[in-house]
Amino acid sequence: MLLRTRIRQPKEPPMEPSGGEQEPGAVRLLDLPWEDVLLPHVLNRVPLRQLLRLQRVSRAFRALVQLHLAGLRRFDAAQVGPQIPRAALTRLLRDAEGLQELALAPCHEWLSDEDLVPVLSRNPQLRSVALAGCGQLSRRVLGALAEGCPRLQRLSLAHCDWVDGLALRGLADRCHVLEELDLTACRQLKDEAIVYLAQRRGAGLRSLSLAVNANVGDAAVQELARNCPQLEHLDLTGCLRVGSDGVRTLAEYCPALRSLRVRHCHHVAEPSLSRLRKRGVDIDVEPPLHQALVLLQDMAGFAPFVNLQV
């Protein structure tokens, strides 16, 4: 006896209208006003990585995305991914002419002068530029920034070994509103370059990092102190030539100082830091007594009672 089975076919979903089969009264996304609706209220909320994909949908979407990118005020390559290809960066920034913030750290392995200088020349309104780790660049980039971006306020050049005293001079001469500068691990810089920076731009500097630079010493720190009355944050981590004399000058001449980083500055003694501690300055090195108590607690397994008023 044969047993017959009946296979039920799954129901097909209803067809969505597309192209010329648009339902009466339906509104397609691209039919909405671009400048009044799509650009300010839709594309502004789409991540850059998705915009790259959206460009491939159709010519109309490509035109819409390019119009949006042309009006970008802030571009952070990290939003695209940890390793953005050169072609993708070129497409994204091809028409941008109103950028105010630019961060390109994920491009550090390949970014060159030829990639960056045209972008800088098209965007004179730039106020913040982050190029940390971009080791393939040269001082030509700083020349383009100095000459073409007079409103530059924040600049990160951390771990850019190509930054030397000559490049920094051009920056100090022309960037009149510079407030924040990160020169971490720019190992070619010496006291003379920092002294020149302090004398030319010190009045407006609020934040400066000279961390991991063995060529920077007390001469540079003292000149910064005397010329930077608005300095709030100073990072000297690993500056082995900085000592107590430089820190004492900071305490005397920098009333706005809020944080100081001197870890691994082995010539900085606690007496030079105590005046800053009394003012409430955040210092990344604990006082010797606190260090001793922490060490004793670790060894004994409990926190001893110490009368600090004796």
Side-chain angles (χ1 to χ4, degrees), residues 255-294:
L257 195 64
R258 293 167 52 191
S259 72
L260 177 65
R261 300 290 175 260
V262 288
R263 190 176 298 276
H264 305 302
C265 295
H266 304 302
H267 298 296
V268 174
E270 177 58 28
S272 65
L273 296 170
S274 59
R275 184 175 173 183
L276 292 170
R277 293 191 197 279
K278 292 176 182 178
R279 282 171 32 192
V281 176
D282 178 28
I283 300 174
D284 62 340
V285 176
E286 298 291 348
L289 178 58
H290 183 275
Q291 295 176 0
L293 291 176
V294 171

Side-chain angles (χ1 to χ4, degrees), residues 35-48:
E35 306 242 345
D36 295 333
V37 178
L38 292 182
L39 294 179
H41 300 294
V42 178
L43 264 69
N44 268 345
R45 293 170 170 78
V46 179
L48 286 174

Side-chain angles (χ1 to χ4, degrees), residues 245-260:
D245 290 343
V247 173
R248 276 191 289 266
T249 312
L250 288 171
E252 182 176 358
Y253 288 96
C254 294
L257 195 64
R258 293 167 52 191
S259 72
L260 177 65

Side-chain angles (χ1 to χ4, degrees), residues 43 46-55 65 68-69:
L43 264 69
V46 179
L48 286 174
R49 181 181 297 185
Q50 301 303 325
L51 288 178
L52 281 172
R53 297 178 180 176
L54 190 61
Q55 280 185 312
V65 171
H68 167 70
L69 294 174

Side-chain angles (χ1 to χ4, degrees), residues 77-304:
Q79 295 180 5
V80 181
Q83 294 180 338
I84 175 173
R86 177 180 272 112
L89 182 72
T90 301
R91 287 199 303 272
L92 288 169
L93 295 181
R94 183 179 61 194
D95 300 318
E97 295 183 350
L99 287 174
Q100 295 181 3
E101 300 181 31
L102 180 64
L104 297 176
C107 312
H108 67 276
E109 292 185 354
W110 53 263
L111 189 68
S112 67
D113 292 357
E114 288 70 26
D115 300 313
L116 183 55
V117 169
V119 176
L120 299 178
S121 64
R122 291 196 304 269
N123 291 274
Q125 308 297 324
L126 277 168
R127 298 180 181 179
S128 176
V129 176
L131 302 173
C134 295
Q136 306 301 318
L137 302 174
S138 74
R139 65 169 68 123
R140 180 184 167 201
V141 166
L142 291 191
L145 276 170
E147 293 176 9
C149 303
R151 299 186 182 184
L152 188 66
Q153 295 176 333
R154 297 180 298 276
L155 177 61
S156 174
L157 299 170
H159 302 278
C160 291
D161 290 335
W162 49 270
V163 178
D164 57 12
L166 186 58
L168 193 62
R169 273 178 173 262
L171 200 68
D173 286 337
R174 296 183 179 89
C175 294
H176 302 292
V177 295
L178 191 64
E179 295 182 356
E180 301 177 18
L181 183 58
D182 188 349
L183 298 172
T184 299
C186 293
R187 296 183 177 89
Q188 291 195 58
L189 296 177
K190 300 180 180 179
D191 280 347
E192 294 79 7
I194 306 304
V195 166
Y196 189 86
L197 173 69
Q199 293 172 346
R200 298 289 294 176
R201 293 277 74 82
L205 274 182
R206 296 180 180 273
S207 178
L208 177 64
S209 176
L210 300 172
V212 200
N213 193 329
N215 295 317
V216 171
D218 280 342
V221 175
Q222 289 174 327
E223 199 65 23
L224 285 168
R226 296 187 180 101
N227 290 275
C228 304
Q230 299 187 66
L231 190 63
E232 298 177 6
H233 307 283
L234 180 61
D235 191 344
L236 300 172
T237 303
C239 293
L240 303 179
R241 294 179 55 232
V242 171
S244 297
D245 290 343
V247 173
R248 276 191 289 266
T249 312
L250 288 171
E252 182 176 358
Y253 288 96
C254 294
L257 195 64
R258 293 167 52 191
S259 72
L260 177 65
R261 300 290 175 260
V262 288
R263 190 176 298 276
H264 305 302
C265 295
H266 304 302
H267 298 296
V268 174
E270 177 58 28
S272 65
L273 296 170
S274 59
R275 184 175 173 183
L276 292 170
R277 293 191 197 279
K278 292 176 182 178
R279 282 171 32 192
V281 176
D282 178 28
I283 300 174
D284 62 340
V285 176
E286 298 291 348
L289 178 58
H290 183 275
Q291 295 176 0
L293 291 176
V294 171
L295 179 60
L296 184 58
Q297 181 178 358
D298 291 341
M299 294 175 61
F302 65 92

